Amino acid sequence: MSDLTHFNEEGRARMVDVSDKEATSRTAQAASSVRVNKEIYEKIRAGEIGKGDVLGTAQIAGIMAAKQTSTIIPMCHPLPLSGIDISFDWVVKDQTHTLEITGSVKTTGKTGVEMEALTCVSAVALTVYDMCKALDKGMVIGPTYLLEKTGGKSGDFARPPEHK
Amino acid sequence: MSDLTHFNEEGRARMVDVSDKEATSRTAQAASSVRVNKEIYEKIRAGEIGKGDVLGTAQIAGIMAAKQTSTIIPMCHPLPLSGIDISFDWVVKDQTHTLEITGSVKTTGKTGVEMEALTCVSAVALTVYDMCKALDKGMVIGPTYLLEKTGGKSGDFARPPEHK
Amino acid sequence: MSDLTHFNEEGRARMVDVSDKEATSRTAQAASSVRVNKEIYEKIRAGEIGKGDVLGTAQIAGIMAAKQTSTIIPMCHPLPLSGIDISFDWVVKDQTHTLEITGSVKTTGKTGVEMEALTCVSAVALTVYDMCKALDKGMVIGPTYLLEKTGGKSGDFARPPEHK
Amino acid sequence: MSDLTHFNEEGRARMVDVSDKEATSRTAQAASSVRVNKEIYEKIRAGEIGKGDVLGTAQIAGIMAAKQTSTIIPMCHPLPLSGIDISFDWVVKDQTHTLEITGSVKTTGKTGVEMEALTCVSAVALTVYDMCKALDKGMVIGPTYLLEKTGGKSGDFARPPEHK
Amino acid sequence: MSDLTHFNEEGRARMVDVSDKEATSRTAQAASSVRVNKEIYEKIRAGEIGKGDVLGTAQIAGIMAAKQTSTIIPMCHPLPLSGIDISFDWVVKDQTHTLEITGSVKTTGKTGVEMEALTCVSAVALTVYDMCKALDKGMVIGPTYLLEKTGGKSGDFARPPEHK
Amino acid sequence: MSDLTHFNEEGRARMVDVSDKEATSRTAQAASSVRVNKEIYEKIRAGEIGKGDVLGTAQIAGIMAAKQTSTIIPMCHPLPLSGIDISFDWVVKDQTHTLEITGSVKTTGKTGVEMEALTCVSAVALTVYDMCKALDKGMVIGPTYLLEKTGGKSGDFARPPEHK
């Protein structure tokens, strides 16, 4: 596929016609992150252990946003998502504290779920920012990117390791 | 303010009580970006001149997402936004082609619009990704961060230039 | 005002900045209609008297759509509507049966509610069509137009009687 | 089918049970229009050529509204739309300037997409009105009607040419 | 199934993966109620006969809420509902006036519609409360519970009669 | 106020006109509950201590639903909520295990937030049901009722203690 298929003959946006595609099993996995200062890092970690779970709240936001992808992204097809899972990892080095976010989405549908996975991790990161911004507004979200996808006519995609 | 105010006495998430805050004028500006390959860069640029406007579609997605911020971010207060504007800039160097996105949001309300500005530019970037992903799934979104905010009791914020 | 104010300096859509406008009392009234065949006319009328109220369902759709206007119309400001009312009238002549729909919307806000009134009557008409389309798909909706508006800097508007 | 099937035995509205229907390929095409004055006509046309694309914004509104049809129209079944396309045509004669809007929707589902096509063109027309209303509030939307549908047990429908 | 399947290996909420489940026919029926005083009972009954139909409005709210279940309940899968029906019954005894609400939902999907049925009757009850609360704020909603479900691997469920 | 004010002169539903009311400080507090079996009780309790927090997820659902009240309840006015808080209590006696839910909502607006508080606790209870239903579908939600409200012309309301 070598063209911007989201445009019709008048050159304006359309939702691409996928009527003739098969409804097959598809998965996508995306990554984002939030770089926070040491104070926020410590408070989130403490919250994880007891209650006051920043990551738990962010995770729910990510799941709900994934389900809303086709209402947020104009040309995105509505898809009946069959599974959403999010995981976290902390990378602490050289005085930086980075929360790494991975979101996995599955469907049986006519188009892929790349946008659902990317929207999911974006909402997770935004919610972490929201819940910690009283402490520091200088947090940085992302980079945000697709890790891999499977299924569909365009074939599988896996991000080369050196670009992660 | 030195605490994670989004948690109540039981340690669980709440929507912070802002009843006693004044409804004052507030603004926020956030930045994101999409790094694309040369082919996508050229096609978007061509589209800008004639019809088939990727950026135009993305901009509308950003405006509509900003208005939905409080339904996407769980602890975010609903606010009657009074103005939303988005602008684009291309940075091309060293074989990289980066679309820089700036989103500005205004309100007269009891809380700030940082989340609205960040959600806005995130939706813009995600929509650019969606409309170009048939050409390359390796695009990278962000970093995404707050540029500045004005208004409210916690005072103004401006990102130090060296961190942009 | 002599320009398309929904566009920014780059020529792209924005949500107009109304931050400096006063929040004042504003009203708008819009009209639409559905032209139906005799069979549908008689069934709706019968439904009105007993139960199975097509118009009652359509009215609720109109009220709920009016509240969603800023999520349906991209550049529309969110406004806290303070009142919505819908009324119906049948015009039967020359073998045609026309349901006339009037929708009135009020707010105290920084922008007018013309779009809310127009969206309201559109949703009413669409719902009537939906509930009767098993009988005839040839129904015609509209014309749909603004009857009047009051409040706001641009002054009042009343549709000239000969254009109704 | 000779009855208002949207009502249950108590005479109240229900969402019709389509559980036993086949999920088959279905299409629908609807038409609406906006009659504008000469000034608006010229400004929209100019915008089409360069940037500031009223029709581009309206088209996105139409696509997003089509996807929301089952949340706007109370008794409408949710359907996974597989394609949405919108086109425009100008008819200028006798001092009138009319933007004609055609919306086409496809699905593989248990019910038809007539309401999605009608909701789509209604949202397009409303958005054109919204973006031009600073110039003239006297614009007229519609008539709005179904052009044709295919698929489903009730058979195909095509509007007789003399009624278009 | 003997575990809280909504949690992932990190112990946080996820949307359960149902990718490998069959899309089969499923139904669920739930019950709720609103206990009102005599004045409200009589006014609703009067409204039923003529116009001003509290129950008609509540029913539409229930149908629309059922379709929104997966946006209200975080871990709920989106499902294309194929039928929704609601019925009412009054139980008057010992000076109490109770509106009994039954909601039935059908789908062909990979998960059941228990939550859709429960959300449906909850929205019906809340809407009855809303429309009558000017007369008395002491109304009591519920108990709300599942009456029965059919379809799916976990088998059928029917509430024992003595627990209704 | 002695009438069903949600109906207009034609006897059909309307959104009551509150344009002339003052925007004042208002609060409401509502209660619901979920009666669960011993196994679910123990698993939720265990989850509270470590991770896998059923109540944390339910709480977020309640906060998000409260913000959506005017899109769920047809005649409800949209209100800019300024604070939402939810708390839990377990009552264990006579072999029954009941999770008691209290939701508090605040606004500065022209109408009260009773419906927001009731919708909030309803969504909390529904989410608890959803997350535990793999263990037992016989859980019972509610009764659900208003505990108290303050502010507004109709005065304060407090549920008599014997009716709690």
Side-chain angles (χ1 to χ4, degrees):
Chain A
M1 211 180 303
S2 65
D3 237 324
L4 293 179
T5 53
H6 282 101
F7 295 103
N8 66 9
E9 289 163 25
E10 294 181 22
R12 284 207 194 77
R14 63 172 174 179
M15 197 174 85
V16 179
D17 187 356
V18 298
S19 306
D20 295 335
K21 288 191 173 182
E22 293 288 317
T24 58
S25 178
R26 292 149 189 274
T27 70
Q29 201 170 41
S32 189
S33 57
V34 189
R35 202 175 68 229
V36 305
N37 66 20
K38 196 182 176 194
E39 181 188 9
I40 293 176
Y41 167 72
E42 287 171 351
K43 283 189 189 280
I44 293 180
R45 295 284 288 191
E48 267 186 38
I49 295 158
K51 290 186 283 183
D53 190 351
V54 170
L55 305 190
T57 305
Q59 200 160 18
I60 294 165
I63 288 170
M64 295 182 89
K67 294 192 279 184
Q68 290 302 314
T69 302
S70 70
T71 68
I72 298 171
I73 311 299
M75 301 302 141
C76 209
H77 294 80
L79 285 173
L81 304 187
S82 55
I84 308 170
D85 201 2
I86 295 161
S87 63
F88 294 106
D89 202 13
W90 281 102
V91 177
V92 180
K93 60 176 174 190
D94 304 339
Q95 314 272 8
T96 68
H97 306 75
T98 304
L99 174 70
E100 302 206 326
I101 304 159
T102 309
S104 303
V105 177
K106 290 189 180 182
T107 196
T108 304
K110 295 184 172 212
T111 61
V113 285
E114 297 95 303
M115 294 318 302
E116 282 76 6
L118 287 162
T119 301
C120 175
V121 293
S122 299
V124 172
L126 287 165
T127 301
V128 171
Y129 187 101
D130 180 45
M131 297 186 80
C132 301
K133 71 179 192 293
L135 294 169
D136 174 29
K137 290 180 173 47
M139 287 171 280
V140 173
I141 293 173
T144 303
Y145 49 84
L146 189 68
L147 283 169
E148 62 167 57
K149 64 156 287 223
T150 67
K153 210 180 65 181
S154 74
D156 294 354
F157 167 89
R159 194 169 186 81
E162 69 273 20
H163 289 156
K164 283 181 191 176
Chain B
M1 209 181 306
S2 66
D3 237 324
L4 293 179
T5 53
H6 283 101
F7 295 104
N8 66 10
E9 288 164 24
E10 294 181 22
R12 285 207 195 77
R14 63 172 174 180
M15 197 174 84
V16 180
D17 187 355
V18 298
S19 306
D20 295 334
K21 287 192 173 182
E22 294 287 318
T24 58
S25 178
R26 291 150 190 273
T27 70
Q29 200 169 43
S32 189
S33 58
V34 190
R35 200 174 70 229
V36 305
N37 67 19
K38 196 182 176 195
E39 181 189 8
I40 292 176
Y41 166 71
E42 286 171 352
K43 282 188 189 280
I44 294 179
R45 295 285 288 192
E48 268 186 38
I49 295 159
K51 291 185 284 182
D53 190 352
V54 169
L55 305 190
T57 304
Q59 200 160 18
I60 294 165
I63 288 169
M64 294 182 88
K67 294 191 279 184
Q68 290 302 314
T69 301
S70 70
T71 68
I72 298 171
I73 310 300
M75 301 303 141
C76 208
H77 293 80
L79 285 172
L81 304 187
S82 55
I84 308 169
D85 201 2
I86 296 160
S87 63
F88 295 107
D89 202 13
W90 281 102
V91 175
V92 180
K93 60 176 174 191
D94 304 339
Q95 313 274 8
T96 67
H97 306 74
T98 304
L99 175 69
E100 304 206 324
I101 304 158
T102 310
S104 303
V105 178
K106 290 189 180 183
T107 196
T108 304
K110 294 184 172 212
T111 61
V113 284
E114 297 96 303
M115 294 319 300
E116 282 75 5
L118 287 162
T119 300
C120 175
V121 294
S122 299
V124 171
L126 288 165
T127 301
V128 170
Y129 187 100
D130 179 45
M131 298 185 80
C132 301
K133 72 178 191 293
L135 294 170
D136 174 29
K137 290 180 174 46
M139 288 170 280
V140 174
I141 292 174
T144 304
Y145 49 84
L146 190 68
L147 284 170
E148 62 168 57
K149 64 156 288 222
T150 67
K153 209 179 65 179
S154 73
D156 294 353
F157 168 88
R159 194 169 185 79
E162 69 274 19
H163 289 156
K164 283 180 191 176
Chain C
M1 209 181 302
S2 66
D3 238 322
L4 293 179
T5 53
H6 282 102
F7 295 104
N8 67 9
E9 287 164 25
E10 294 181 22
R12 285 208 195 77
R14 64 172 174 179
M15 197 174 83
V16 179
D17 186 356
V18 298
S19 306
D20 296 334
K21 286 191 173 184
E22 293 288 319
T24 58
S25 178
R26 292 150 191 272
T27 69
Q29 200 170 42
S32 188
S33 57
V34 189
R35 201 174 70 228
V36 304
N37 67 19
K38 197 181 174 193
E39 182 188 6
I40 292 175
Y41 167 71
E42 286 170 351
K43 283 188 189 281
I44 294 180
R45 296 284 288 192
E48 269 186 39
I49 295 161
K51 291 186 283 183
D53 191 353
V54 170
L55 305 190
T57 304
Q59 200 159 18
I60 294 164
I63 287 169
M64 295 182 87
K67 292 192 279 185
Q68 291 302 314
T69 301
S70 70
T71 68
I72 300 171
I73 310 298
M75 301 303 141
C76 208
H77 294 79
L79 284 174
L81 303 188
S82 55
I84 308 171
D85 200 1
I86 295 161
S87 63
F88 294 107
D89 202 13
W90 281 102
V91 175
V92 180
K93 61 177 174 188
D94 304 340
Q95 313 274 7
T96 67
H97 306 75
T98 304
L99 174 69
E100 304 206 323
I101 304 159
T102 309
S104 302
V105 178
K106 290 188 180 183
T107 197
T108 303
K110 294 184 172 212
T111 61
V113 284
E114 296 95 303
M115 293 320 300
E116 282 75 6
L118 286 162
T119 300
C120 175
V121 294
S122 298
V124 171
L126 288 165
T127 301
V128 170
Y129 186 101
D130 180 44
M131 298 185 80
C132 300
K133 71 179 191 292
L135 294 170
D136 174 30
K137 290 181 173 48
M139 286 171 282
V140 174
I141 292 173
T144 303
Y145 48 84
L146 190 67
L147 283 169
E148 62 168 58
K149 64 154 289 220
T150 66
K153 209 179 67 179
S154 74
D156 295 351
F157 168 88
R159 194 168 186 80
E162 69 275 18
H163 289 157
K164 283 182 189 172
Chain D
M1 210 180 301
S2 65
D3 238 321
L4 294 179
T5 53
H6 282 102
F7 296 103
N8 67 9
E9 288 163 25
E10 294 181 22
R12 284 205 196 77
R14 62 172 176 181
M15 198 175 83
V16 179
D17 186 355
V18 298
S19 306
D20 295 334
K21 288 193 174 183
E22 293 289 316
T24 58
S25 178
R26 292 150 191 273
T27 69
Q29 200 170 42
S32 189
S33 58
V34 190
R35 202 174 67 228
V36 305
N37 67 20
K38 197 181 174 193
E39 181 188 8
I40 292 176
Y41 166 71
E42 286 171 351
K43 283 188 189 282
I44 294 180
R45 296 284 289 190
E48 270 186 34
I49 294 159
K51 290 186 283 183
D53 191 351
V54 170
L55 305 190
T57 305
Q59 199 159 20
I60 295 164
I63 288 169
M64 296 182 86
K67 293 191 279 184
Q68 290 303 313
T69 301
S70 70
T71 67
I72 299 171
I73 310 298
M75 301 302 141
C76 209
H77 295 80
L79 285 173
L81 303 188
S82 55
I84 308 171
D85 201 0
I86 295 161
S87 63
F88 294 107
D89 201 14
W90 281 102
V91 175
V92 180
K93 61 176 174 189
D94 303 340
Q95 313 273 9
T96 67
H97 306 76
T98 305
L99 174 70
E100 303 207 324
I101 304 158
T102 309
S104 302
V105 178
K106 289 188 181 183
T107 196
T108 304
K110 295 185 172 213
T111 61
V113 284
E114 297 96 301
M115 293 320 301
E116 283 75 6
L118 287 163
T119 301
C120 175
V121 294
S122 299
V124 172
L126 287 165
T127 301
V128 171
Y129 187 101
D130 180 44
M131 298 185 80
C132 301
K133 71 179 191 291
L135 294 169
D136 174 30
K137 290 180 174 49
M139 286 172 281
V140 174
I141 292 174
T144 304
Y145 48 84
L146 189 68
L147 282 169
E148 61 168 58
K149 65 154 289 221
T150 67
K153 209 180 67 180
S154 74
D156 295 353
F157 168 89
R159 192 168 187 80
E162 70 274 18
H163 289 155
K164 281 181 190 172
Chain E
M1 209 182 301
S2 66
D3 238 322
L4 293 180
T5 53
H6 282 102
F7 295 104
N8 67 9
E9 288 163 24
E10 294 181 23
R12 283 207 196 78
R14 64 172 174 178
M15 197 175 84
V16 180
D17 187 356
V18 297
S19 306
D20 295 334
K21 287 192 174 182
E22 293 288 318
T24 58
S25 178
R26 291 149 191 274
T27 69
Q29 200 169 42
S32 188
S33 57
V34 189
R35 202 174 69 229
V36 305
N37 67 18
K38 196 180 174 195
E39 181 189 6
I40 292 176
Y41 167 71
E42 286 171 351
K43 283 188 190 280
I44 293 180
R45 296 284 289 191
E48 268 186 38
I49 294 161
K51 292 186 282 183
D53 191 353
V54 170
L55 305 190
T57 303
Q59 200 160 17
I60 295 165
I63 288 169
M64 296 182 86
K67 294 192 278 186
Q68 291 302 313
T69 302
S70 70
T71 68
I72 299 171
I73 310 298
M75 300 303 141
C76 208
H77 293 80
L79 285 173
L81 304 188
S82 55
I84 308 170
D85 200 1
I86 295 161
S87 63
F88 294 107
D89 202 13
W90 281 102
V91 176
V92 180
K93 60 177 174 188
D94 304 340
Q95 313 273 8
T96 68
H97 306 75
T98 305
L99 174 69
E100 303 206 324
I101 303 160
T102 309
S104 301
V105 177
K106 290 188 179 181
T107 196
T108 303
K110 294 183 173 212
T111 61
V113 284
E114 296 96 302
M115 293 319 300
E116 283 75 6
L118 286 162
T119 301
C120 175
V121 294
S122 298
V124 171
L126 288 165
T127 301
V128 170
Y129 187 100
D130 179 44
M131 297 185 80
C132 301
K133 71 180 191 292
L135 294 170
D136 174 30
K137 289 181 173 47
M139 286 171 281
V140 174
I141 292 173
T144 303
Y145 49 83
L146 190 67
L147 283 169
E148 62 167 58
K149 64 153 290 220
T150 67
K153 210 179 66 179
S154 74
D156 295 352
F157 167 88
R159 193 169 187 80
E162 69 274 18
H163 289 155
K164 284 182 189 174
Chain F
M1 209 181 302
S2 65
D3 238 322
L4 293 179
T5 53
H6 282 101
F7 295 104
N8 67 9
E9 287 164 24
E10 295 181 21
R12 285 208 195 76
R14 62 172 176 181
M15 198 174 83
V16 179
D17 186 357
V18 298
S19 307
D20 295 334
K21 288 191 173 183
E22 294 288 316
T24 59
S25 178
R26 291 151 190 273
T27 70
Q29 200 170 42
S32 188
S33 58
V34 190
R35 201 175 69 228
V36 304
N37 66 20
K38 197 180 174 194
E39 181 187 9
I40 292 176
Y41 167 72
E42 286 170 351
K43 283 189 189 281
I44 294 180
R45 295 284 289 191
E48 270 185 35
I49 293 158
K51 291 186 284 183
D53 191 351
V54 170
L55 305 190
T57 305
Q59 199 159 20
I60 294 164
I63 288 169
M64 295 183 88
K67 293 192 278 185
Q68 290 302 313
T69 302
S70 70
T71 69
I72 298 171
I73 310 298
M75 301 302 140
C76 210
H77 295 79
L79 285 173
L81 304 187
S82 55
I84 308 171
D85 201 1
I86 296 160
S87 63
F88 294 106
D89 201 13
W90 282 102
V91 176
V92 180
K93 60 176 174 189
D94 304 339
Q95 314 273 7
T96 67
H97 307 74
T98 303
L99 174 70
E100 303 207 325
I101 304 158
T102 309
S104 302
V105 178
K106 289 188 181 184
T107 195
T108 304
K110 295 183 173 214
T111 61
V113 285
E114 297 96 303
M115 293 319 301
E116 283 74 7
L118 286 163
T119 301
C120 175
V121 293
S122 299
V124 171
L126 288 165
T127 301
V128 171
Y129 187 101
D130 180 44
M131 297 185 80
C132 301
K133 71 179 191 291
L135 294 170
D136 174 29
K137 290 180 174 49
M139 286 171 282
V140 174
I141 293 173
T144 304
Y145 49 84
L146 189 67
L147 283 169
E148 62 167 57
K149 63 156 289 219
T150 67
K153 210 180 65 180
S154 73
D156 294 354
F157 168 89
R159 192 167 189 81
E162 69 273 19
H163 289 155
K164 282 181 191 174

